[in-house]
């Protein structure tokens, strides 16, 4: 069930279970637009998203189409 609090303190110990070896689990990119490259990097995705949304962007490889 769900408690009545919208926000509450997380008092559980942090286990880092979401931390994985990047070569084993490189990540997942889900997008409603096309992905123009097979190996987008995290910094490229952010810059490309900004360029796509703002109509202007930084120099470099655009990974979203």
């Amino acid at each position: 069930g769900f408690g009545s609090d919208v926000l509450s303190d997380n008092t559980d110990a942090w286990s880092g279970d979401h931390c994985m070896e990047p070569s084993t689990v490189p990540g997942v990119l889900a997008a409603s637009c096309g992905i123009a490259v097979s190996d987008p990097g995290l910094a490229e995705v952010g810059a490309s998203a900004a360029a796509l949304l703002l109509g202007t962007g930084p120099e470099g490889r655009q990974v979203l189409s």
Side-chain angles (χ1 to χ4, degrees):
F2 295 99
S4 61
D5 293 339
V6 175
L7 297 174
S8 62
D9 291 334
N10 180 2
T11 58
D12 296 335
W14 178 71
S15 65
D17 60 357
H18 64 283
C19 298
M20 298 296 225
E21 171 60 39
S23 63
T24 304
V25 183
V28 175
L29 174 60
S32 60
C33 61
I35 301 172
V37 298
S38 63
D39 61 340
L42 184 58
E44 295 171 321
V45 171
S48 295
L52 188 64
L53 295 171
L54 301 174
T56 181
E59 296 294 319
R61 185 169 76 150
Q62 298 297 306
V63 299
L64 302 173
S65 59

